[in-house]
């Protein structure tokens, strides 16, 4: 089977595409009048929030819209040929062979019962009819290309024996097996840690160059698109609203939605007190409730009634730049360089007395060495190793680290879902580390509350919103009777800025951001002293994140709550925390104020974390530090310093100390501490990872 003849025009050309889904009641337009083209060897980013139609576009390209989806207008051409006119056989030949797609969840693309090598070999054997020997040779080559350690062992492993980052690399290898002309990546790094994400992104860029593959990169993360793409297209509610080169769109944006998006992300320089983020007002319209005229109209600062809602708005070229387009009637009249109206400045909260103190907390788990059949010797997993810190009233302490570093274990011990192996936790000078939740008194339970990552899992689907909050008030013993509790519930809805009418709604009638607000209302129902927020915004859209973090800050100011903010997103941590604790494999490797932790000298792990975070700002220059290897298992941590297997500064420490001894905690002054063997003069040589270019 030969590939399609050499072709020199755009690899992918989508022109005025409209896709609808048909239900018994009505036609629901998912994508309208959408155009984008991808040139040979070019990477184009498709950016937008959930529900804007970006994945529908990808499924349209793959001609995989299911039985309810139909292309109702426009064309999709691949190498100049209209995909809609191809036979099923031709399409089957192109899919996987010429157009490959990488999905968000790596395990969804891998067969759990089949060794990796066999899965990779299938691709060229089926698509190109090559021999098993040739296919295996090629599989070995791509596994080496995606920088996996010990390629032979990888080919003989099953998917479950690999970490998430390794699985995602195998999926990328699988997509590259047949050297496709177009690679579609649908949020390929959402499920991965930032450091792994940085490595995967660097990899995709290099491979794109090596194989000359064109890419369509779907993401909601503007920083990631900046680092991977040449051009981008911004989508809102089914339509492309702006497209152009990265520089055009980031530095000379011409659409109010793009502008509003940038104002709601915590870029360097944003500060919760002096330069708060500006959230986008209102909510995303549902597909069958789109407004007349401009879809973004009801949420736009520049909306003009009778003009913006009078007719369909078409894409127009920006004068002087034929590759920069926008869908806005007023883009020539708006002063895009006007200084942004600053969000309301807040006074810095006064940090009060110590509310929570942890002293040498340890949490070990015993597991059978052979989990499947039990028996054999026991292994100890050291999930938390001598954790010590204190948190004060009105303070936000961020806890940062990759998955598996012990953040959530520590939260469980604090909540009483687990008890400590050793050490103590003092809440207002009372020891609580050995009191499981069922033995805690009502006051302790209402004092320490949690806001979870996924708002969908924490609400009871069959109970109204109001009832769920009242239920929490009953448990915390608040209010003398139903009337008082009803009143308090309405006040809590006011507190999280939800309309009081929502009390009667069911969870399924709420968006993700609204559900998360209900979760916050419930956590604060009993006047919590300490709220553990476990990645509370990572499941939400960018524009909603700003509103929810702002809300948490505001409630904290009013109620003087101590907020423990668990996250791997350092941009948000920098924006809202007062102090930061960096964890790696159960150890606290660095602890200090936000300013101390974000400027050198750093712990080598903090340095790598900072370098890995994508920042949506063209003026930022970053030092790229890609961590080699994956995080070691907590069942079998390396001897000596937990980070030594991946540390780029290790050679600066004489006498193999890093391999032998766990480093002592060193005080760098003003309460800034680092667990590291590096000497003072080496630390002094560290330069900043993130610099802002001079204008």
């Amino acid at each position: 089977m030969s590939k399609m003849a050499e072709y020199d025009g755009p690899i992918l050309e989508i022109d005025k595409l409209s896709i609808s889904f048909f239900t018994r009641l009505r036609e629901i337009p998912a994508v309208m009048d959408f155009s984008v083209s991808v040139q040979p060897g070019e990477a184009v980013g498709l950016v937008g929030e959930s529900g804007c139609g970006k994945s529908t576009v990808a499924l349209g390209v793959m001609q995989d819209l299911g039985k309810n989806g139909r292309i109702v207008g426009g064309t999709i051409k691949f190498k100049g040929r209209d995909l809609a006119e191809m036979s099923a056989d031709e399409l089957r030949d192109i899919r996987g062979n010429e157009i490959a797609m990488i999905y968000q969840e790596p395990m969804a693309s891998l067969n759990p019962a089949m060794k990796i090598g066999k899965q990779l070999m299938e691709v060229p054997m089926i698509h190109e009819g090559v021999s098993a020997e040739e296919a295996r040779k090629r599989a070995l080559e791509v596994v080496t290309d995606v920088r996996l350690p010990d390629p032979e062992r990888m080919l003989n492993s099953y998917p479950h024996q690999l970490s998430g980052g390794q699985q995602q690399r195998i999926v990328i290898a699988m997509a590259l097996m047949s050297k496709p002309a177009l690679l579609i990546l649908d949020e390929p790094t959402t499920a991965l840690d930032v450091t792994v994400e940085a490595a995967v992104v660097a990899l995709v860029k290099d491979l794109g160059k090596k194989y000359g593959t064109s890419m369509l990169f779907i993401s909601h993360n503007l920083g990631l698109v900046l680092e991977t793409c040449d051009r981008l297209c911004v989508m809102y509610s089914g339509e492309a609203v702006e497209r152009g080169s990265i520089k055009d769109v980031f530095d000379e944006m011409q659409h109010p939605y793009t502008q509003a998006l940038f104002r709601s992300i915590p870029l360097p320089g944003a500060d919760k007190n002096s330069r708060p983020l500006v959230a986008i007002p209102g909510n995303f319209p549902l597909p069958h409730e789109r407004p007349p005229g401009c879809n973004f109209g009801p949420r736009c600062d520049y909306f003009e009634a009778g003009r913006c809602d009078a007719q369909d708005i078409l894409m127009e070229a920006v004068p002087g730049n034929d590759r920069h387009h926008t869908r806005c009637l007023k883009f020539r009249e708006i002063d895009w360089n006007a200084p942004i109206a600053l969000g309301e400045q807040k006074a810095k909260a006064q940090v009060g007395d110590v509310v929570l103190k942890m002293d040498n907390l340890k949490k070990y788990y015993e597991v059978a060495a052979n989990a499947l059949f039990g028996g054999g010797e026991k292994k100890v997993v050291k999930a938390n190793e001598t954790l010590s810190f204190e948190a004060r009233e009105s303070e936000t302490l961020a806890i940062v680290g990759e998955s598996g570093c012990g953040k959530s274990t520590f939260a469980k011990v604090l909540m009483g879902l687990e008890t400590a192996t050793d050490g103590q936790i003092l809440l207002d000078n009372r020891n609580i580390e050995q009191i499981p939740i069922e033995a805690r008194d009502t006051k302790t339970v209402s004092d320490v509350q949690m806001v979870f990552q996924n708002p969908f899992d924490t609400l009871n689907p069959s109970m109204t919103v109001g009832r769920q909050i009242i239920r929490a008030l009953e448990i915390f013993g608040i209010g003398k009777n139903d009337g008082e509790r009803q009143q308090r519930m309405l006040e809590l809805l006011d507190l999280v800025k939800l309309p009081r009418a929502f009390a009667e709604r069911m969870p399924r009638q709420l968006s993700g951001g609204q559900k998360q607000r209900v979760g916050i209302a419930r956590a604060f129902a009993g006047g919590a002293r300490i709220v553990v927020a476990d990645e509370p915004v990572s499941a939400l859209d960018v524009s909603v994140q700003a509103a929810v973090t702002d809300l948490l800050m505001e409630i904290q100011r009013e109620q003087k709550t101590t907020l423990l903010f668990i996250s791997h997103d350092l941009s948000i941590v920098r924006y809202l925390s007062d102090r930061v604790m960096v964890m790696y494999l159960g150890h606290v490797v660095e602890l200090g104020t936000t300013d101390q932790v974000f400027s050198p000298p750093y712990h080598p792990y903090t340095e790598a974390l900072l370098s890995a975070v994508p920042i949506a700002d063209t003026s930022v220059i970053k030092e790229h530090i890609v961590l080699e290897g994956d995080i070691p298992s907590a069942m079998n941590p390396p001897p000596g310093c937990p980070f030594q297997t991946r540390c780029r500064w290790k050679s600066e420490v004489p006498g193999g100390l890093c391999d032998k001894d766990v480093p002592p905690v060193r005080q760098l002054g003003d309460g800034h501490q680092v667990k590291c063997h590096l000497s003072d003069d080496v630390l002094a040589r560290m330069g900043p990872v993130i610099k802002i270019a001079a204008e």
Side-chain angles (χ1 to χ4, degrees):
M1 293 188 220
S2 68
K3 300 237 167 173
M4 282 164 73
E6 282 309 307
Y7 174 74
D8 57 358
I11 295 288
L12 179 70
E13 201 171 3
I14 301 179
D15 190 38
K16 300 193 169 48
L17 175 71
S18 296
I19 297 177
S20 291
F21 288 91
F22 292 85
T23 66
R24 278 184 317 218
L25 302 174
R26 51 164 107 73
E27 170 186 351
I28 297 176
V31 173
M32 293 89 64
D33 181 34
F34 178 83
S35 306
V36 77
S37 64
V38 183
Q39 303 298 330
E42 182 177 54
V44 175
L46 199 52
V47 178
E49 301 177 278
S50 47
C52 73
K54 51 190 193 303
S55 295
T56 307
V57 170
L59 292 171
V61 175
M62 298 299 279
Q63 298 284 311
D64 180 19
L65 291 164
K67 55 178 192 294
N68 296 346
R70 271 213 293 287
I71 292 179
V72 291
T75 56
I76 304 176
K77 289 183 176 165
F78 174 69
K79 292 189 174 176
R81 289 186 54 197
D82 189 339
L83 289 172
E85 290 168 3
M86 292 188 186
S87 68
D89 282 348
E90 284 179 296
L91 279 172
R92 193 176 307 121
D93 206 29
I94 281 183
R95 272 191 217 123
N97 189 20
E98 296 229 25
I99 305 180
M101 185 154 171
I102 295 172
Y103 295 91
Q104 187 167 351
E105 193 35 75
M107 269 318 268
S109 318
L110 295 172
N111 179 343
M114 197 172 176
K115 286 187 174 169
I116 300 281
K118 195 151 185 272
Q119 299 192 47
L120 289 172
M121 285 161 62
E122 269 192 349
V123 182
M125 284 165 75
I126 289 172
H127 280 293
E128 299 168 48
V130 305
S131 69
E133 197 179 331
E134 170 63 21
R136 184 163 180 98
K137 206 172 90 192
R138 228 194 272 178
L140 204 57
E141 186 190 337
V142 289
V143 171
T144 315
D145 267 351
V146 296
R147 304 202 190 105
L148 280 166
D150 197 351
E152 277 289 351
R153 190 181 56 111
M154 288 291 157
L155 295 183
N156 285 319
S157 304
Y158 286 99
H160 70 266
Q161 294 170 310
L162 310 185
S163 70
Q166 290 172 336
Q167 287 170 4
Q168 192 58 292
R169 285 171 190 223
I170 291 291
V171 172
I172 293 172
M174 206 152 138
L176 291 169
M177 276 303 281
S178 56
K179 307 199 169 37
L182 176 69
L183 191 54
I184 302 175
L185 301 108
D186 190 358
E187 304 258 10
T189 58
T190 324
L192 306 176
D193 274 317
V194 264
T195 51
V196 181
E197 172 181 82
V200 168
V201 163
L203 174 76
V204 168
K205 269 175 78 169
D206 292 351
L207 292 172
K209 287 199 186 73
K210 175 175 174 179
Y211 288 108
T213 314
S214 307
M215 291 193 264
L216 187 61
F217 195 105
I218 299 175
S219 178
H220 62 263
N221 184 332
L222 285 160
L224 215 52
V225 167
L226 167 76
E227 294 192 1
T228 43
C229 299
D230 308 302
R231 289 192 314 123
L232 84 156
C233 172
V234 180
M235 284 187 83
Y236 180 79
S237 188
E239 294 179 323
V241 292
E242 182 166 11
R243 59 170 188 264
S245 71
I246 294 282
K247 216 157 173 37
D248 289 340
V249 179
F250 277 57
D251 297 345
E252 293 172 28
M253 54 192 74
Q254 299 284 315
H255 195 282
Y257 173 62
T258 316
Q259 187 183 45
L261 259 190
F262 274 96
R263 288 176 179 178
S264 63
I265 0 186
L267 295 172
D271 174 286
K272 64 180 174 186
N273 299 316
S274 58
R275 288 197 44 203
L277 300 179
V278 183
I280 305 178
N283 279 313
F284 202 77
L286 291 167
H288 53 279
E289 293 172 358
R290 292 193 177 108
C294 173
N295 283 342
F296 188 59
R299 307 175 71 187
C300 178
D301 291 346
Y302 310 103
F303 180 74
E304 192 180 316
R307 184 175 164 199
C308 297
D309 51 6
Q311 75 218 46
D312 280 349
I313 295 165
L314 302 173
M315 283 296 251
E316 278 186 78
V318 175
N321 185 342
D322 62 342
R323 291 196 74 187
H324 189 181
H325 293 77
T326 177
R327 192 184 293 270
C328 174
L329 287 180
K330 302 180 69 174
F331 78 94
R332 291 180 182 84
E333 304 151 40
I334 295 169
D335 176 2
W336 295 104
N337 297 322
I340 94 167
L342 275 175
E344 179 195 341
Q345 298 201 0
K346 312 280 193 336
K348 194 165 166 26
Q350 282 303 308
V351 173
D353 299 332
V354 172
V355 181
L356 177 74
K357 189 170 167 28
M358 282 208 181
D359 202 19
N360 286 332
L361 177 81
K362 292 183 183 177
K363 175 65 188 171
Y364 294 173
Y365 292 100
E366 273 200 355
V367 290
N370 184 338
L372 199 54
F373 304 108
E377 81 278 22
K378 290 260 167 97
K379 274 200 168 173
V380 172
V381 175
K382 300 180 175 182
N384 286 155
E385 189 62 270
T386 56
L387 261 163
S388 298
F389 69 90
E390 43 193 39
R392 298 176 176 78
E393 186 177 270
S394 294
E395 177 179 58
T396 304
L397 173 69
I399 296 147
V400 180
E402 298 170 280
S403 45
C405 72
K407 312 186 289 279
S408 300
T409 300
F410 136 79
K412 285 178 185 157
V413 177
L414 179 61
M415 300 296 300
L417 300 171
E418 299 274 1
T419 52
T421 308
D422 195 12
Q424 49 181 353
I425 303 179
L426 296 163
L427 173 66
D428 291 328
N429 280 327
R430 287 175 301 155
N431 281 65
I432 58 167
E433 71 282 343
Q434 293 302 336
I435 310 176
I437 188 137
E438 58 275 15
R440 290 188 176 183
D441 56 59
T442 310
K443 181 170 178 352
T444 308
V445 173
S446 62
D447 269 353
V448 186
Q449 280 294 304
M450 193 152 180
V451 178
F452 295 90
Q453 177 169 2
N454 198 340
F456 309 93
D457 301 341
T458 52
L459 298 179
N460 180 336
S462 54
M463 234 190 225
T464 64
V465 166
R467 184 77 201 101
Q468 309 210 24
I469 298 175
I470 288 175
R471 184 102 180 73
L473 293 169
E474 288 169 358
I475 291 169
F476 298 148
I478 286 169
K480 296 193 186 69
N481 50 39
D482 289 349
E484 278 189 18
R485 281 191 279 272
Q486 179 74 19
Q487 186 51 37
R488 176 79 187 122
M489 180 268 293
L490 294 172
E491 287 165 10
L492 281 163
L493 285 178
D494 297 345
L495 181 69
V496 295
K497 298 192 168 53
L498 282 175
R500 288 186 164 195
F502 273 40
E504 299 306 314
R505 288 201 182 181
M506 299 304 270
R508 64 168 188 277
Q509 296 169 292
L510 272 55
S511 70
Q514 291 166 339
K515 285 184 185 154
Q516 194 56 298
R517 284 164 190 247
V518 177
I520 293 171
R522 227 172 31 178
F524 283 95
R529 302 286 310 279
I530 297 173
V531 170
V532 180
D534 189 357
E535 304 262 12
V537 293
S538 61
L540 306 177
D541 271 321
V542 199
S543 59
V544 184
Q545 283 185 1
V548 172
T549 41
D550 230 38
L551 175 72
L552 274 171
M553 296 287 94
E554 206 169 302
I555 298 176
Q556 179 185 37
R557 279 190 185 91
E558 275 175 34
Q559 317 241 340
K560 297 194 154 99
T561 321
T562 304
L563 195 60
L564 298 182
F565 193 85
I566 298 178
S567 178
H568 66 261
D569 180 344
L570 287 168
S571 319
I572 286 182
V573 165
R574 181 182 212 154
Y575 171 66
L576 57 78
S577 33
D578 302 306
R579 287 194 306 135
V580 180
M581 177 162 108
V582 182
M583 289 184 70
Y584 185 80
L585 268 189
H587 291 260
V588 176
V589 293
E590 184 163 7
L591 175 64
T593 64
T594 308
D595 290 342
Q596 288 167 341
V597 173
F598 277 81
S599 51
Y602 325 95
H603 186 281
Y605 176 58
T606 311
E607 180 191 51
L609 273 184
L610 287 174
S611 144
V613 177
I615 300 174
D617 186 338
T618 51
S619 65
V620 165
I621 303 166
K622 278 197 326 190
E623 183 176 356
H624 280 279
I625 303 164
V626 170
L627 285 183
E628 296 301 323
D630 283 300
I631 305 175
S633 148
M635 274 172 82
N636 192 9
C641 169
F643 187 58
Q644 52 110 342
T645 52
R646 305 167 79 195
C647 178
R648 68 177 194 146
W649 291 86
K650 187 173 161 184
S651 58
E652 299 280 351
V653 177
L657 259 180
C658 301
D659 300 329
K660 293 190 296 234
D661 301 338
V662 173
V665 172
R666 302 187 28 203
Q667 300 298 335
L668 301 180
D670 287 343
H672 184 193
Q673 61 179 55
V674 168
K675 205 179 226 183
C676 183
H677 284 303
L678 287 177
S679 62
D680 289 347
D681 55 324
V682 176
L683 286 173
R685 294 206 316 258
M686 279 191 175
V689 175
I690 297 169
K691 292 193 202 60
I692 308 243
E695 282 303 310

